[in-house]
Amino acid sequence: MELVNENDKPLVSEAHEGKPVVEWAVAAIVVASALLAFLRQGMAATIIISVTAIALGVMRVILRERSPWKVRSAAFDAFICICLGIGLLITYFSIRLLL
């Protein structure tokens, strides 16, 4: 039977990924956007969330492994963030065109 060293365990989120300050800042932005949406300021709420997502994606591309925002690989994180931001804007404005 082989003994497992403590250092051989796979790393699981939070301990080595992301900075809590950035995570709390994003949480505060989401709460502020929810409050704006509740106050019927849907465009402002959507733009804030979209800009935040795009900024996080760009930050991840520029800073790579030094980025305070990490989930998976830099390419995956950037792709998801930027596409989410652009997708939210496209969805919001396409709905506005129909109304």
Side-chain angles (χ1 to χ4, degrees):
M1 185 166 160
E2 195 175 312
L3 294 176
V4 176
N5 186 351
E6 271 299 309
N7 297 330
D8 291 340
K9 290 183 180 178
L11 297 174
V12 184
S13 74
E14 310 266 341
H16 75 289
E17 297 175 349
K19 301 279 188 268
V21 173
V22 176
E23 294 171 0
W24 282 107
V26 171
I29 290 169
V30 169
V31 169
S33 293
L35 181 61
L36 284 170
F38 180 75
L39 296 173
R40 299 190 177 271
Q41 299 299 316
M43 181 184 290
T46 303
I47 290 173
I48 288 171
I49 291 288
S50 296
V51 168
T52 301
I54 293 168
L56 287 170
V58 169
M59 179 175 54
R60 187 71 168 110
V61 167
I62 293 170
L63 297 176
R64 308 283 304 169
E65 295 306 314
R66 295 174 298 139
S67 172
W69 180 260
K70 300 177 190 175
V71 178
R72 298 285 177 227
S73 70
F76 177 83
D77 290 349
F79 176 79
I80 294 298
C81 287
I82 293 169
C83 287
L84 171 68
I86 293 170
L88 283 172
L89 290 173
I90 290 171
T91 303
Y92 180 80
F93 288 113
S94 65
I95 291 170
R96 294 268 312 201
L97 285 174
L98 295 175
L99 297 179

Tab-separated table of all heavy atoms in Angstrom, residues 9-74:
chain	number	residue	atom	x	y	z
A	9	LYS	N	-2.021	15.930	-3.054
A	9	LYS	CA	-3.466	16.059	-3.258
A	9	LYS	C	-3.735	17.097	-4.340
A	9	LYS	O	-3.028	18.096	-4.436
A	9	LYS	CB	-4.150	16.491	-1.961
A	9	LYS	CG	-4.149	15.425	-0.904
A	9	LYS	CD	-4.905	15.902	0.307
A	9	LYS	CE	-4.908	14.837	1.375
A	9	LYS	NZ	-5.589	15.296	2.578
A	10	PRO	N	-4.772	16.850	-5.142
A	10	PRO	CA	-5.103	17.851	-6.161
A	10	PRO	C	-5.599	19.132	-5.497
A	10	PRO	O	-6.286	19.086	-4.484
A	10	PRO	CB	-6.207	17.189	-6.983
A	10	PRO	CG	-6.751	16.122	-6.108
A	10	PRO	CD	-5.651	15.704	-5.184
A	11	LEU	N	-5.218	20.258	-6.061
A	11	LEU	CA	-5.681	21.538	-5.543
A	11	LEU	C	-7.120	21.760	-5.990
A	11	LEU	O	-7.468	21.524	-7.135
A	11	LEU	CB	-4.786	22.660	-6.053
A	11	LEU	CG	-3.336	22.583	-5.588
A	11	LEU	CD1	-2.510	23.651	-6.281
A	11	LEU	CD2	-3.228	22.718	-4.090
A	12	VAL	N	-7.944	22.216	-5.081
A	12	VAL	CA	-9.352	22.427	-5.387
A	12	VAL	C	-9.712	23.878	-5.110
A	12	VAL	O	-9.636	24.325	-3.975
A	12	VAL	CB	-10.254	21.501	-4.542
A	12	VAL	CG1	-11.702	21.663	-4.927
A	12	VAL	CG2	-9.811	20.070	-4.681
A	13	SER	N	-10.056	24.596	-6.123
A	13	SER	CA	-10.484	25.994	-6.114
A	13	SER	C	-9.965	26.821	-4.951
A	13	SER	O	-9.077	26.442	-4.231
A	13	SER	CB	-11.996	26.079	-6.215
A	13	SER	OG	-12.582	25.714	-5.008
A	14	GLU	N	-10.510	27.967	-4.772
A	14	GLU	CA	-10.295	28.969	-3.749
A	14	GLU	C	-8.921	29.003	-3.078
A	14	GLU	O	-8.426	30.054	-2.819
A	14	GLU	CB	-11.376	28.863	-2.672
A	14	GLU	CG	-12.752	28.825	-3.250
A	14	GLU	CD	-13.405	30.177	-3.324
A	14	GLU	OE1	-12.981	31.105	-2.634
A	14	GLU	OE2	-14.352	30.306	-4.088
A	15	ALA	N	-8.310	27.895	-2.752
A	15	ALA	CA	-7.044	27.921	-2.040
A	15	ALA	C	-5.932	28.543	-2.878
A	15	ALA	O	-5.049	29.185	-2.352
A	15	ALA	CB	-6.652	26.513	-1.620
A	16	HIS	N	-5.972	28.373	-4.179
A	16	HIS	CA	-4.908	28.913	-5.021
A	16	HIS	C	-5.427	29.687	-6.228
A	16	HIS	O	-4.658	30.178	-7.027
A	16	HIS	CB	-3.984	27.784	-5.496
A	16	HIS	CG	-4.577	26.945	-6.576
A	16	HIS	ND1	-5.597	26.077	-6.344
A	16	HIS	CD2	-4.305	26.878	-7.894
A	16	HIS	CE1	-5.924	25.489	-7.487
A	16	HIS	NE2	-5.149	25.952	-8.434
A	17	GLU	N	-6.714	29.804	-6.345
A	17	GLU	CA	-7.306	30.483	-7.495
A	17	GLU	C	-8.076	31.708	-7.040
A	17	GLU	O	-8.837	31.653	-6.083
A	17	GLU	CB	-8.270	29.552	-8.235
A	17	GLU	CG	-7.594	28.355	-8.822
A	17	GLU	CD	-8.595	27.407	-9.447
A	17	GLU	OE1	-9.801	27.574	-9.245
A	17	GLU	OE2	-8.159	26.490	-10.129
A	18	GLY	N	-7.902	32.774	-7.736
A	18	GLY	CA	-8.676	33.970	-7.471
A	18	GLY	C	-8.313	34.636	-6.158
A	18	GLY	O	-7.682	34.059	-5.295
A	19	LYS	N	-8.700	35.869	-6.054
A	19	LYS	CA	-8.487	36.641	-4.846
A	19	LYS	C	-9.858	36.993	-4.277
A	19	LYS	O	-10.731	37.455	-5.000
A	19	LYS	CB	-7.716	37.928	-5.155
A	19	LYS	CG	-6.362	37.704	-5.795
A	19	LYS	CD	-5.331	37.364	-4.744
A	19	LYS	CE	-3.938	37.314	-5.309
A	19	LYS	NZ	-3.505	36.027	-5.755
A	20	PRO	N	-10.052	36.785	-2.973
A	20	PRO	CA	-11.353	37.082	-2.371
A	20	PRO	C	-11.805	38.525	-2.581
A	20	PRO	O	-12.992	38.782	-2.729
A	20	PRO	CB	-11.134	36.784	-0.890
A	20	PRO	CG	-10.011	35.819	-0.849
A	20	PRO	CD	-9.136	36.177	-2.022
A	21	VAL	N	-10.865	39.459	-2.639
A	21	VAL	CA	-11.232	40.866	-2.848
A	21	VAL	C	-11.943	41.036	-4.185
A	21	VAL	O	-12.963	41.726	-4.275
A	21	VAL	CB	-9.971	41.758	-2.783
A	21	VAL	CG1	-10.296	43.186	-3.163
A	21	VAL	CG2	-9.340	41.697	-1.413
A	22	VAL	N	-11.429	40.390	-5.212
A	22	VAL	CA	-12.045	40.491	-6.536
A	22	VAL	C	-13.400	39.797	-6.538
A	22	VAL	O	-14.373	40.304	-7.096
A	22	VAL	CB	-11.114	39.888	-7.617
A	22	VAL	CG1	-11.783	39.901	-8.981
A	22	VAL	CG2	-9.816	40.646	-7.671
A	23	GLU	N	-13.479	38.650	-5.899
A	23	GLU	CA	-14.750	37.923	-5.836
A	23	GLU	C	-15.816	38.737	-5.115
A	23	GLU	O	-16.970	38.790	-5.559
A	23	GLU	CB	-14.534	36.571	-5.164
A	23	GLU	CG	-13.656	35.649	-5.986
A	23	GLU	CD	-13.243	34.390	-5.245
A	23	GLU	OE1	-13.632	34.220	-4.071
A	23	GLU	OE2	-12.517	33.588	-5.838
A	24	TRP	N	-15.441	39.394	-4.028
A	24	TRP	CA	-16.394	40.234	-3.291
A	24	TRP	C	-16.765	41.472	-4.102
A	24	TRP	O	-17.917	41.933	-4.052
A	24	TRP	CB	-15.845	40.619	-1.924
A	24	TRP	CG	-15.972	39.508	-0.932
A	24	TRP	CD1	-14.978	38.723	-0.445
A	24	TRP	CD2	-17.181	39.022	-0.346
A	24	TRP	NE1	-15.489	37.785	0.417
A	24	TRP	CE2	-16.843	37.950	0.505
A	24	TRP	CE3	-18.516	39.392	-0.446
A	24	TRP	CZ2	-17.781	37.248	1.239
A	24	TRP	CZ3	-19.464	38.684	0.295
A	24	TRP	CH2	-19.092	37.628	1.113
A	25	ALA	N	-15.825	42.022	-4.848
A	25	ALA	CA	-16.130	43.175	-5.701
A	25	ALA	C	-17.142	42.792	-6.770
A	25	ALA	O	-18.105	43.532	-7.028
A	25	ALA	CB	-14.854	43.714	-6.338
A	26	VAL	N	-16.957	41.631	-7.379
A	26	VAL	CA	-17.915	41.160	-8.393
A	26	VAL	C	-19.272	40.901	-7.739
A	26	VAL	O	-20.307	41.252	-8.306
A	26	VAL	CB	-17.384	39.908	-9.120
A	26	VAL	CG1	-18.457	39.298	-10.009
A	26	VAL	CG2	-16.157	40.254	-9.945
A	27	ALA	N	-19.282	40.329	-6.557
A	27	ALA	CA	-20.550	40.094	-5.835
A	27	ALA	C	-21.253	41.419	-5.562
A	27	ALA	O	-22.481	41.528	-5.728
A	27	ALA	CB	-20.289	39.343	-4.541
A	28	ALA	N	-20.503	42.442	-5.155
A	28	ALA	CA	-21.100	43.757	-4.901
A	28	ALA	C	-21.667	44.356	-6.186
A	28	ALA	O	-22.749	44.965	-6.165
A	28	ALA	CB	-20.054	44.698	-4.298
A	29	ILE	N	-20.966	44.169	-7.297
A	29	ILE	CA	-21.453	44.671	-8.585
A	29	ILE	C	-22.745	43.958	-8.984
A	29	ILE	O	-23.685	44.581	-9.477
A	29	ILE	CB	-20.362	44.520	-9.668
A	29	ILE	CG1	-19.218	45.503	-9.382
A	29	ILE	CG2	-20.929	44.729	-11.068
A	29	ILE	CD1	-17.976	45.273	-10.207
A	30	VAL	N	-22.806	42.666	-8.742
A	30	VAL	CA	-24.030	41.911	-9.053
A	30	VAL	C	-25.190	42.393	-8.193
A	30	VAL	O	-26.310	42.574	-8.684
A	30	VAL	CB	-23.792	40.392	-8.882
A	30	VAL	CG1	-25.101	39.623	-8.931
A	30	VAL	CG2	-22.835	39.888	-9.944
A	31	VAL	N	-24.946	42.644	-6.910
A	31	VAL	CA	-25.997	43.152	-6.019
A	31	VAL	C	-26.454	44.537	-6.485
A	31	VAL	O	-27.656	44.822	-6.529
A	31	VAL	CB	-25.510	43.177	-4.553
A	31	VAL	CG1	-26.474	43.945	-3.664
A	31	VAL	CG2	-25.325	41.762	-4.035
A	32	ALA	N	-25.498	45.393	-6.850
A	32	ALA	CA	-25.861	46.730	-7.338
A	32	ALA	C	-26.685	46.634	-8.625
A	32	ALA	O	-27.675	47.361	-8.786
A	32	ALA	CB	-24.593	47.558	-7.580
A	33	SER	N	-26.315	45.720	-9.507
A	33	SER	CA	-27.079	45.535	-10.749
A	33	SER	C	-28.479	44.999	-10.465
A	33	SER	O	-29.440	45.419	-11.112
A	33	SER	CB	-26.337	44.580	-11.682
A	33	SER	OG	-25.150	45.166	-12.117
A	34	ALA	N	-28.580	44.096	-9.509
A	34	ALA	CA	-29.899	43.571	-9.137
A	34	ALA	C	-30.774	44.684	-8.572
A	34	ALA	O	-31.975	44.752	-8.873
A	34	ALA	CB	-29.742	42.438	-8.129
A	35	LEU	N	-30.168	45.558	-7.772
A	35	LEU	CA	-30.916	46.686	-7.217
A	35	LEU	C	-31.378	47.620	-8.336
A	35	LEU	O	-32.531	48.061	-8.339
A	35	LEU	CB	-30.050	47.445	-6.212
A	35	LEU	CG	-30.704	48.639	-5.533
A	35	LEU	CD1	-31.927	48.197	-4.728
A	35	LEU	CD2	-29.714	49.345	-4.639
A	36	LEU	N	-30.501	47.894	-9.294
A	36	LEU	CA	-30.892	48.716	-10.436
A	36	LEU	C	-32.023	48.066	-11.238
A	36	LEU	O	-32.956	48.744	-11.659
A	36	LEU	CB	-29.693	48.971	-11.347
A	36	LEU	CG	-28.689	50.011	-10.857
A	36	LEU	CD1	-27.445	49.992	-11.725
A	36	LEU	CD2	-29.318	51.394	-10.861
A	37	ALA	N	-31.929	46.768	-11.438
A	37	ALA	CA	-32.987	46.060	-12.176
A	37	ALA	C	-34.307	46.135	-11.411
A	37	ALA	O	-35.369	46.324	-12.004
A	37	ALA	CB	-32.581	44.608	-12.402
A	38	PHE	N	-34.237	45.993	-10.090
A	38	PHE	CA	-35.435	46.107	-9.253
A	38	PHE	C	-36.051	47.502	-9.378
A	38	PHE	O	-37.272	47.654	-9.336
A	38	PHE	CB	-35.086	45.796	-7.793
A	38	PHE	CG	-36.255	45.891	-6.865
A	38	PHE	CD1	-37.222	44.903	-6.844
A	38	PHE	CD2	-36.378	46.970	-6.015
A	38	PHE	CE1	-38.308	44.986	-5.992
A	38	PHE	CE2	-37.454	47.074	-5.163
A	38	PHE	CZ	-38.427	46.082	-5.139
A	39	LEU	N	-35.200	48.510	-9.547
A	39	LEU	CA	-35.669	49.888	-9.695
A	39	LEU	C	-36.025	50.221	-11.146
A	39	LEU	O	-36.157	51.383	-11.509
A	39	LEU	CB	-34.602	50.862	-9.180
A	39	LEU	CG	-34.285	50.754	-7.691
A	39	LEU	CD1	-33.096	51.631	-7.326
A	39	LEU	CD2	-35.508	51.099	-6.858
A	40	ARG	N	-36.169	49.188	-11.953
A	40	ARG	CA	-36.567	49.301	-13.359
A	40	ARG	C	-35.535	50.034	-14.217
A	40	ARG	O	-35.868	50.738	-15.164
A	40	ARG	CB	-37.936	49.943	-13.499
A	40	ARG	CG	-39.026	49.135	-12.829
A	40	ARG	CD	-40.386	49.678	-13.198
A	40	ARG	NE	-41.435	48.871	-12.621
A	40	ARG	CZ	-41.977	47.803	-13.213
A	40	ARG	NH1	-41.561	47.415	-14.375
A	40	ARG	NH2	-42.958	47.145	-12.609
A	41	GLN	N	-34.280	49.856	-13.888
A	41	GLN	CA	-33.182	50.404	-14.674
A	41	GLN	C	-32.438	49.242	-15.339
A	41	GLN	O	-31.257	49.016	-15.113
A	41	GLN	CB	-32.231	51.216	-13.782
A	41	GLN	CG	-32.868	52.403	-13.113
A	41	GLN	CD	-33.391	53.406	-14.126
A	41	GLN	OE1	-32.730	53.722	-15.114
A	41	GLN	NE2	-34.598	53.890	-13.897
A	42	GLY	N	-33.186	48.499	-16.160
A	42	GLY	CA	-32.668	47.286	-16.776
A	42	GLY	C	-31.466	47.519	-17.675
A	42	GLY	O	-30.530	46.722	-17.693
A	43	MET	N	-31.477	48.618	-18.421
A	43	MET	CA	-30.355	48.888	-19.314
A	43	MET	C	-29.074	49.120	-18.504
A	43	MET	O	-28.028	48.546	-18.819
A	43	MET	CB	-30.616	50.104	-20.202
A	43	MET	CG	-29.450	50.388	-21.155
A	43	MET	SD	-29.650	51.871	-22.149
A	43	MET	CE	-30.952	51.372	-23.250
A	44	ALA	N	-29.157	49.913	-17.467
A	44	ALA	CA	-27.980	50.185	-16.635
A	44	ALA	C	-27.479	48.900	-15.981
A	44	ALA	O	-26.269	48.638	-15.951
A	44	ALA	CB	-28.308	51.225	-15.572
A	45	ALA	N	-28.389	48.092	-15.471
A	45	ALA	CA	-28.013	46.839	-14.817
A	45	ALA	C	-27.323	45.896	-15.803
A	45	ALA	O	-26.284	45.296	-15.485
A	45	ALA	CB	-29.246	46.164	-14.222
A	46	THR	N	-27.868	45.790	-16.992
A	46	THR	CA	-27.288	44.914	-18.020
A	46	THR	C	-25.912	45.411	-18.459
A	46	THR	O	-24.976	44.617	-18.584
A	46	THR	CB	-28.225	44.823	-19.237
A	46	THR	OG1	-29.497	44.352	-18.811
A	46	THR	CG2	-27.673	43.890	-20.293
A	47	ILE	N	-25.791	46.690	-18.654
A	47	ILE	CA	-24.506	47.248	-19.083
A	47	ILE	C	-23.445	47.060	-18.008
A	47	ILE	O	-22.305	46.705	-18.310
A	47	ILE	CB	-24.666	48.729	-19.487
A	47	ILE	CG1	-25.458	48.803	-20.793
A	47	ILE	CG2	-23.316	49.420	-19.610
A	47	ILE	CD1	-25.845	50.194	-21.228
A	48	ILE	N	-23.806	47.257	-16.743
A	48	ILE	CA	-22.841	47.073	-15.653
A	48	ILE	C	-22.340	45.633	-15.599
A	48	ILE	O	-21.135	45.383	-15.503
A	48	ILE	CB	-23.451	47.509	-14.308
A	48	ILE	CG1	-23.574	49.025	-14.268
A	48	ILE	CG2	-22.609	47.012	-13.134
A	48	ILE	CD1	-24.368	49.542	-13.087
A	49	ILE	N	-23.255	44.670	-15.679
A	49	ILE	CA	-22.856	43.259	-15.642
A	49	ILE	C	-22.019	42.913	-16.873
A	49	ILE	O	-21.004	42.227	-16.777
A	49	ILE	CB	-24.095	42.331	-15.565
A	49	ILE	CG1	-24.778	42.481	-14.217
A	49	ILE	CG2	-23.721	40.885	-15.817
A	49	ILE	CD1	-24.033	41.879	-13.055
A	50	SER	N	-22.427	43.411	-18.036
A	50	SER	CA	-21.691	43.115	-19.272
A	50	SER	C	-20.288	43.700	-19.252
A	50	SER	O	-19.323	43.010	-19.607
A	50	SER	CB	-22.455	43.668	-20.476
A	50	SER	OG	-23.687	43.019	-20.610
A	51	VAL	N	-20.161	44.939	-18.848
A	51	VAL	CA	-18.849	45.582	-18.788
A	51	VAL	C	-17.959	44.872	-17.771
A	51	VAL	O	-16.764	44.671	-18.007
A	51	VAL	CB	-18.990	47.087	-18.481
A	51	VAL	CG1	-17.660	47.721	-18.127
A	51	VAL	CG2	-19.626	47.806	-19.659
A	52	THR	N	-18.536	44.474	-16.653
A	52	THR	CA	-17.771	43.738	-15.645
A	52	THR	C	-17.252	42.424	-16.213
A	52	THR	O	-16.074	42.085	-16.055
A	52	THR	CB	-18.634	43.462	-14.400
A	52	THR	OG1	-19.090	44.703	-13.862
A	52	THR	CG2	-17.857	42.707	-13.344
A	53	ALA	N	-18.105	41.678	-16.897
A	53	ALA	CA	-17.697	40.396	-17.476
A	53	ALA	C	-16.604	40.591	-18.525
A	53	ALA	O	-15.604	39.871	-18.529
A	53	ALA	CB	-18.905	39.686	-18.088
A	54	ILE	N	-16.789	41.563	-19.397
A	54	ILE	CA	-15.792	41.812	-20.444
A	54	ILE	C	-14.471	42.268	-19.820
A	54	ILE	O	-13.397	41.813	-20.216
A	54	ILE	CB	-16.317	42.835	-21.473
A	54	ILE	CG1	-17.492	42.214	-22.258
A	54	ILE	CG2	-15.214	43.292	-22.419
A	54	ILE	CD1	-18.281	43.200	-23.094
A	55	ALA	N	-14.544	43.143	-18.818
A	55	ALA	CA	-13.322	43.618	-18.147
A	55	ALA	C	-12.580	42.465	-17.476
A	55	ALA	O	-11.342	42.386	-17.540
A	55	ALA	CB	-13.672	44.690	-17.127
A	56	LEU	N	-13.314	41.560	-16.842
A	56	LEU	CA	-12.671	40.401	-16.217
A	56	LEU	C	-12.015	39.507	-17.264
A	56	LEU	O	-10.923	38.977	-17.049
A	56	LEU	CB	-13.682	39.595	-15.404
A	56	LEU	CG	-14.135	40.243	-14.098
A	56	LEU	CD1	-15.304	39.464	-13.507
A	56	LEU	CD2	-12.997	40.333	-13.112
A	57	GLY	N	-12.668	39.339	-18.403
A	57	GLY	CA	-12.089	38.537	-19.485
A	57	GLY	C	-10.822	39.157	-20.044
A	57	GLY	O	-9.822	38.472	-20.247
A	58	VAL	N	-10.852	40.459	-20.266
A	58	VAL	CA	-9.674	41.156	-20.780
A	58	VAL	C	-8.548	41.118	-19.744
A	58	VAL	O	-7.383	40.881	-20.082
A	58	VAL	CB	-10.028	42.611	-21.174
A	58	VAL	CG1	-8.788	43.429	-21.464
A	58	VAL	CG2	-10.968	42.611	-22.370
A	59	MET	N	-8.906	41.315	-18.475
A	59	MET	CA	-7.909	41.253	-17.409
A	59	MET	C	-7.256	39.876	-17.362
A	59	MET	O	-6.047	39.756	-17.205
A	59	MET	CB	-8.572	41.562	-16.061
A	59	MET	CG	-7.632	41.495	-14.887
A	59	MET	SD	-8.361	41.996	-13.316
A	59	MET	CE	-9.807	40.978	-13.195
A	60	ARG	N	-8.051	38.836	-17.565
A	60	ARG	CA	-7.526	37.466	-17.537
A	60	ARG	C	-6.566	37.228	-18.699
A	60	ARG	O	-5.544	36.572	-18.549
A	60	ARG	CB	-8.691	36.475	-17.580
A	60	ARG	CG	-8.283	35.046	-17.392
A	60	ARG	CD	-7.838	34.769	-15.967
A	60	ARG	NE	-7.737	33.349	-15.759
A	60	ARG	CZ	-6.578	32.705	-15.604
A	60	ARG	NH1	-5.454	33.363	-15.582
A	60	ARG	NH2	-6.557	31.405	-15.454
A	61	VAL	N	-6.882	37.786	-19.874
A	61	VAL	CA	-6.008	37.635	-21.043
A	61	VAL	C	-4.687	38.363	-20.812
A	61	VAL	O	-3.615	37.820	-21.077
A	61	VAL	CB	-6.692	38.178	-22.322
A	61	VAL	CG1	-5.703	38.320	-23.450
A	61	VAL	CG2	-7.832	37.282	-22.735
A	62	ILE	N	-4.760	39.576	-20.305
A	62	ILE	CA	-3.558	40.390	-20.124
A	62	ILE	C	-2.676	39.844	-19.005
A	62	ILE	O	-1.460	39.715	-19.164
A	62	ILE	CB	-3.935	41.861	-19.853
A	62	ILE	CG1	-4.571	42.465	-21.106
A	62	ILE	CG2	-2.716	42.668	-19.418
A	62	ILE	CD1	-5.192	43.827	-20.891
A	63	LEU	N	-3.270	39.518	-17.870
A	63	LEU	CA	-2.482	39.113	-16.706
A	63	LEU	C	-2.173	37.619	-16.657
A	63	LEU	O	-1.334	37.190	-15.863
A	63	LEU	CB	-3.191	39.536	-15.414
A	63	LEU	CG	-3.355	41.035	-15.225
A	63	LEU	CD1	-4.156	41.324	-13.967
A	63	LEU	CD2	-2.012	41.719	-15.173
A	64	ARG	N	-2.868	36.829	-17.446
A	64	ARG	CA	-2.682	35.368	-17.477
A	64	ARG	C	-2.680	34.763	-16.062
A	64	ARG	O	-3.639	34.881	-15.353
A	64	ARG	CB	-1.413	34.987	-18.240
A	64	ARG	CG	-1.262	35.568	-19.618
A	64	ARG	CD	-2.052	34.959	-20.682
A	64	ARG	NE	-1.807	33.516	-20.812
A	64	ARG	CZ	-2.564	32.748	-21.548
A	64	ARG	NH1	-3.544	33.259	-22.218
A	64	ARG	NH2	-2.343	31.475	-21.636
A	65	GLU	N	-1.572	34.180	-15.659
A	65	GLU	CA	-1.506	33.492	-14.367
A	65	GLU	C	-1.418	34.436	-13.168
A	65	GLU	O	-1.616	34.025	-12.044
A	65	GLU	CB	-0.328	32.514	-14.341
A	65	GLU	CG	-0.473	31.380	-15.339
A	65	GLU	CD	-1.798	30.631	-15.183
A	65	GLU	OE1	-2.179	30.300	-14.045
A	65	GLU	OE2	-2.458	30.384	-16.213
A	66	ARG	N	-1.118	35.699	-13.396
A	66	ARG	CA	-1.076	36.668	-12.300
A	66	ARG	C	-2.442	37.291	-12.049
A	66	ARG	O	-2.602	38.103	-11.151
A	66	ARG	CB	-0.066	37.769	-12.607
A	66	ARG	CG	1.366	37.251	-12.675
A	66	ARG	CD	2.328	38.333	-13.116
A	66	ARG	NE	1.943	38.765	-14.472
A	66	ARG	CZ	1.937	40.026	-14.883
A	66	ARG	NH1	2.306	40.981	-14.096
A	66	ARG	NH2	1.581	40.329	-16.118
A	67	SER	N	-3.425	36.918	-12.836
A	67	SER	CA	-4.756	37.488	-12.723
A	67	SER	C	-5.396	37.152	-11.376
A	67	SER	O	-5.288	36.030	-10.894
A	67	SER	CB	-5.642	36.940	-13.853
A	67	SER	OG	-6.976	37.320	-13.661
A	68	PRO	N	-6.088	38.115	-10.769
A	68	PRO	CA	-6.774	37.839	-9.511
A	68	PRO	C	-8.093	37.086	-9.716
A	68	PRO	O	-8.763	36.740	-8.766
A	68	PRO	CB	-7.018	39.230	-8.930
A	68	PRO	CG	-7.112	40.108	-10.123
A	68	PRO	CD	-6.176	39.518	-11.134
A	69	TRP	N	-8.454	36.861	-10.975
A	69	TRP	CA	-9.711	36.182	-11.286
A	69	TRP	C	-9.391	34.924	-12.071
A	69	TRP	O	-9.056	34.985	-13.240
A	69	TRP	CB	-10.589	37.107	-12.114
A	69	TRP	CG	-11.901	36.526	-12.493
A	69	TRP	CD1	-12.234	35.977	-13.693
A	69	TRP	CD2	-13.058	36.412	-11.693
A	69	TRP	NE1	-13.519	35.538	-13.678
A	69	TRP	CE2	-14.052	35.802	-12.450
A	69	TRP	CE3	-13.355	36.777	-10.380
A	69	TRP	CZ2	-15.318	35.543	-11.954
A	69	TRP	CZ3	-14.614	36.519	-9.893
A	69	TRP	CH2	-15.580	35.908	-10.676
A	70	LYS	N	-9.460	33.762	-11.421
A	70	LYS	CA	-9.137	32.495	-12.086
A	70	LYS	C	-10.200	31.456	-11.768
A	70	LYS	O	-10.614	31.310	-10.630
A	70	LYS	CB	-7.793	31.955	-11.600
A	70	LYS	CG	-6.616	32.850	-11.844
A	70	LYS	CD	-5.373	32.224	-11.254
A	70	LYS	CE	-4.219	33.188	-11.265
A	70	LYS	NZ	-3.056	32.636	-10.604
A	71	VAL	N	-10.600	30.740	-12.779
A	71	VAL	CA	-11.508	29.606	-12.589
A	71	VAL	C	-10.888	28.373	-13.232
A	71	VAL	O	-10.633	27.377	-12.585
A	71	VAL	CB	-12.906	29.878	-13.184
A	71	VAL	CG1	-13.806	28.668	-13.003
A	71	VAL	CG2	-13.528	31.107	-12.535
A	72	ARG	N	-10.605	28.453	-14.485
A	72	ARG	CA	-9.978	27.353	-15.228
A	72	ARG	C	-8.738	27.896	-15.923
A	72	ARG	O	-8.012	28.669	-15.364
A	72	ARG	CB	-10.965	26.773	-16.245
A	72	ARG	CG	-12.205	26.189	-15.605
A	72	ARG	CD	-11.884	24.855	-14.967
A	72	ARG	NE	-13.077	24.353	-14.301
A	72	ARG	CZ	-13.103	23.874	-13.087
A	72	ARG	NH1	-12.024	23.815	-12.374
A	72	ARG	NH2	-14.200	23.437	-12.557
A	73	SER	N	-8.564	27.545	-17.190
A	73	SER	CA	-7.424	28.063	-17.944
A	73	SER	C	-7.698	29.512	-18.333
A	73	SER	O	-8.853	29.959	-18.373
A	73	SER	CB	-7.198	27.222	-19.196
A	73	SER	OG	-8.241	27.441	-20.125
A	74	ALA	N	-6.647	30.246	-18.645
A	74	ALA	CA	-6.802	31.655	-19.022
A	74	ALA	C	-7.679	31.791	-20.268
A	74	ALA	O	-8.543	32.671	-20.330
A	74	ALA	CB	-5.441	32.298	-19.253
